[in-house]
Amino acid sequence: MKKFLVGVTALATALVLTACSGNTGGGSPGGGGVAQGGTTTTSAPSSSPASSTTPTPTPTPSSSSSTPKPTSSKPKPTPKPTPKPAPKPAANAADVPCKAALASPGVSACVDLSALKTWLLQDGKVIYGPVKQLPGKKGYATPTGVFHVSAKVKNYHSKQFDAPMPNSVFFLPGIAFHTGSLSVYSHGCIHLSAAASQKYFTLLQKGGVVQVVP
């Protein structure tokens, strides 16, 4: 009986030693093998099974990603071409009431007192005008007749009336074309706009004919 117990105790000790040593039969570590005494050991399952991988969810397309509707754009209206102003008809020499000025060579001037108009002429043709002019007021009437340019003074100042007379073109003593008011009559001179007086000062030369008609 004692021999039997000693044998069982030896067998149990061999089994415990085999289980603690892992592998003594030359197999791969962690794999199954045969231990002393013919007992088969089983390897533990892997700690990271393939089934533990969490699948990535497929994103659901948002309703806002639907194909946008094409925007209907109205065609822009074609801009209308700006009409060009019609060219002014050339002044007709037949409307000029100054026969002597029309007949004179070179540049001459015609003044129509009643119509409040004046022209510049060259060799019987209108080269400027008609433009508005204001002659002398009552008591200082502008003389009528045929005269000649006697002098030109760019920045003349009247001592008698203490008044500036830019672009003065004299055709009688104290009587001239010059820049002046087109709403106030003069003391005998011919008032012109600044632009017109510049033209008269530039184009009329000493000795040129100036005809003034009623």
Side-chain angles (χ1 to χ4, degrees):
M1 185 63 179
K2 289 182 181 180
K3 291 182 180 181
F4 176 76
L5 291 174
V6 171
V8 171
T9 300
L11 179 61
T13 301
L15 289 174
V16 170
L17 290 175
T18 301
C20 293
S21 64
N23 184 358
T24 59
S28 61
V34 179
Q36 292 179 356
T39 304
T40 303
T41 60
T42 305
S43 64
S46 174
S47 61
S48 56
S51 60
S52 63
T53 304
T54 304
T56 304
T58 303
T60 304
S62 175
S63 59
S64 61
S65 62
S66 58
T67 304
K69 297 181 180 179
T71 305
S72 59
S73 58
K74 296 181 180 179
K76 295 182 179 180
T78 303
K80 296 181 180 180
T82 304
K84 295 181 179 180
K88 295 182 179 180
N92 192 347
D95 298 331
V96 180
C98 302
K99 293 182 179 181
L102 284 168
S104 66
V107 178
S108 60
C110 173
V111 179
D112 188 337
L113 296 179
S114 59
L116 303 180
K117 293 179 181 180
T118 180
W119 298 257
L120 284 178
L121 315 167
Q122 184 171 17
D123 301 326
K125 296 180 181 180
V126 177
I127 59 172
Y128 185 71
V131 293
K132 184 179 180 180
Q133 56 83 16
L134 273 189
K137 59 186 177 181
K138 188 177 181 179
Y140 295 90
T142 302
T144 59
V146 179
F147 313 99
H148 295 83
V149 175
S150 57
K152 298 197 300 180
V153 182
K154 182 65 176 176
N155 293 300
Y156 185 80
H157 190 94
S158 172
K159 294 180 180 178
Q160 181 180 359
F161 300 104
D162 190 21
M165 296 168 53
N167 296 325
S168 287
V169 180
F170 290 92
F171 54 92
L172 277 172
I175 305 297
F177 295 104
H178 67 82
T179 301
S181 171
L182 293 180
S183 59
V184 178
Y185 286 81
S186 74
H187 289 90
C189 291
I190 303 296
H191 282 181
L192 298 172
S193 68
S197 70
Q198 181 62 49
K199 279 282 188 181
Y200 277 59
F201 187 85
T202 301
L203 297 177
L204 281 173
Q205 303 302 319
K206 190 174 180 178
V209 171
V210 176
Q211 186 174 1
V212 182
V213 298

